[in-house]
Amino acid sequence: MGNQIIDSNQVDGAILVVLPKFIGDAINTLPALELLKKLYPTQRVYVLGRPFMSHLFTRAAHYGAEFISDKRYCEEEKHSLFKMAKELKQLDISIAVLLRGSLREALLLKLAGVKNIIGYAQNARSPLLSHALKLNQSEHYIYRYCQLINIPHGRPFQQFSAPKLIPKKTTCALSKKRNVALYLGGSVKGDRHYPHDLSLELLNNLTMRDDIHLYLLGDKAEREEMETLRFKAGENGEKITNLAGSMSLDILVDTIGAMDAMISIDSGPMHIASACGTPCVAVIGQGTSPWSNVAPKRSNLIALHHNSMSLSKSLMIRDITPKAITDALTTVI
């Protein structure tokens, strides 16, 4: 195949996709997986990702990809680069698509004996790629991922679909009121988290409504901070349930999918809400990527952007007031 257009009818081996390492980015790869499955309906399509990501892909089974845990990041049975390459070599991979831009991933696939490796020409890895595409940093992540499928195959597609996760019935006991999830982020999120004093004001504003019950989300590192917020809400804390650190990624999808609405900083839970079709208010401070590159492609999402003149990244998100968030929730719920 080399640098020429790939004819999917001439490919008889398996297809491997290397996922990004973050939840939101992985969700944004789903449209590219859909395009791959259309090109290769009878072939095995594997996705290689961090072990924790396997739970997410149980809710994306409709894309027809088989998840492989990247054991280089497995605490119980950690593999070296060479051992992981040896394991991949047994899968008879004809084509590998790098949806992560690192040199290390390209080297892994080269060691695995994959001849046709598609990826963007970045991080000095072009010599390891059979199809090295030029990266346009201004393009949306979904567009970037889909183009890695579309361009090497001769541009057979004109459009893509939005990412979709299919949650199962939640095991969480929900109230009979309107249920609203909040992911405000803990201090581990740095400049992206919604400050605790404003978070408390937001909780107090929302609990003034008798028709709403709130659920605080987060990982284990954020559980204590979320519990502190719930405690400081005083008697209103009865209208707040702290779920931070209590669930795996698949159960998180189920829980967010069961909500009437979601409030979230720019994060994985925001992308989960979008992929589940849950109405969402996104609180956008100083993100890790430009918002135009990562914004979920859904009409039931309101993005609140800061207009701060502050030179301090940590202060920018303070420009988005609890009242603005409360008003936006009233619109989407």
Side-chain angles (χ1 to χ4, degrees):
M1 298 177 202
N3 288 309
Q4 299 181 5
I5 293 175
I6 299 173
D7 182 353
S8 59
N9 294 318
Q10 301 300 313
V11 178
D12 53 9
I15 315 298
L16 177 70
V17 174
V18 178
L19 295 172
K21 64 179 181 178
F22 297 116
I23 295 170
D25 294 341
I27 291 173
N28 278 335
T29 69
L30 296 177
L33 290 181
E34 184 178 34
L35 299 186
L36 259 183
K37 204 58 186 176
K38 288 180 179 179
L39 286 169
Y40 300 100
T42 62
Q43 255 114 320
R44 300 186 83 165
V45 176
Y46 299 103
V47 291
L48 177 69
R50 307 290 174 106
F52 76 90
M53 207 81 75
S54 63
H55 295 287
L56 178 71
F57 275 80
T58 63
R59 302 307 187 255
H62 50 290
Y63 288 99
E66 301 177 50
F67 188 88
I68 300 174
S69 287
D70 191 337
K71 294 179 181 176
R72 292 175 296 167
Y73 306 99
C74 183
E75 294 181 2
E76 295 81 11
E77 187 187 355
K78 190 169 184 177
H79 280 21
S80 66
L81 178 70
F82 295 99
K83 190 173 182 180
M84 194 67 222
K86 184 178 180 181
E87 188 170 304
L88 293 177
K89 198 168 187 177
Q90 300 173 6
L91 299 179
D92 185 29
I93 300 167
S94 290
I95 299 173
V97 185
L98 291 172
L99 300 185
R100 184 164 181 248
S102 75
L103 173 63
R104 188 175 175 83
E105 265 52 47
L107 180 58
L108 171 68
L109 297 174
K110 204 67 177 178
L111 291 172
V114 181
K115 293 183 179 179
N116 300 287
I117 306 173
I118 303 169
Y120 284 111
Q122 57 185 147
N123 298 322
R125 65 184 189 170
S126 293
L128 300 175
L129 306 178
S130 62
H131 295 73
L133 280 64
K134 184 178 179 180
L135 175 64
N136 183 343
Q137 296 280 3
S138 67
E139 291 174 347
H140 194 285
Y141 278 35
I142 297 179
Y143 190 85
R144 296 182 198 180
Y145 298 144
C146 287
Q147 289 293 55
L148 284 174
I149 310 302
N150 202 35
I151 293 175
H153 289 88
R155 301 178 188 271
F157 302 107
Q158 297 301 313
Q159 63 183 33
F160 55 83
S161 301
K164 184 177 182 180
L165 294 172
I166 301 179
K168 294 184 178 180
K169 185 176 181 180
T170 181
T171 57
C172 178
L174 301 180
S175 78
K176 295 182 180 180
K177 300 179 179 181
R178 289 184 172 182
N179 297 298
V180 178
L182 295 94
Y183 179 60
L184 305 171
S187 55
V188 293
K189 288 297 181 182
D191 299 332
R192 282 193 293 159
H193 88 282
Y194 199 56
H196 291 167
D197 61 322
L198 296 184
S199 293
L200 181 58
E201 183 180 342
L202 174 62
L203 293 180
N204 287 331
N205 285 354
L206 294 175
T207 52
M208 292 294 289
R209 292 182 53 164
D210 292 329
D211 62 331
I212 284 179
H213 191 88
L214 305 178
Y215 298 84
L216 299 176
L217 303 181
D219 61 23
K220 291 180 180 179
E222 296 164 317
R223 180 169 178 78
E224 186 175 338
E225 290 176 79
M226 295 304 105
E227 186 60 25
T228 298
L229 280 176
R230 192 189 71 81
F231 177 78
K232 287 184 176 180
E235 61 182 20
N236 289 333
E238 295 181 0
K239 299 179 181 179
I240 305 169
T241 300
N242 180 16
L243 296 177
S246 66
M247 59 188 69
S248 56
L249 197 46
D250 51 343
I251 305 303
L252 179 63
V253 172
D254 299 341
T255 302
I256 292 176
M259 292 290 150
D260 293 294
M262 172 97 188
I263 296 171
S264 178
I265 60 172
D266 179 5
S267 64
M270 175 195 70
H271 287 282
I272 291 174
S274 177
C276 289
T278 301
C280 184
V281 176
V283 182
I284 313 302
Q286 179 66 22
T288 55
S289 298
W291 174 249
S292 61
N293 289 353
V294 298
K297 294 184 175 294
R298 292 285 184 178
S299 59
N300 61 351
L301 180 142
I302 294 178
L304 300 178
H305 299 267
H306 74 81
N307 289 310
S308 174
M309 302 296 180
S310 175
L311 292 174
S312 172
K313 293 180 180 179
S314 63
L315 296 179
M316 292 177 179
I317 199 168
R318 296 188 66 87
D319 187 63
I320 305 171
T321 66
K323 183 181 184 304
I325 298 172
T326 303
D327 290 346
L329 178 68
T330 301
T331 300
V332 302
I333 198 166

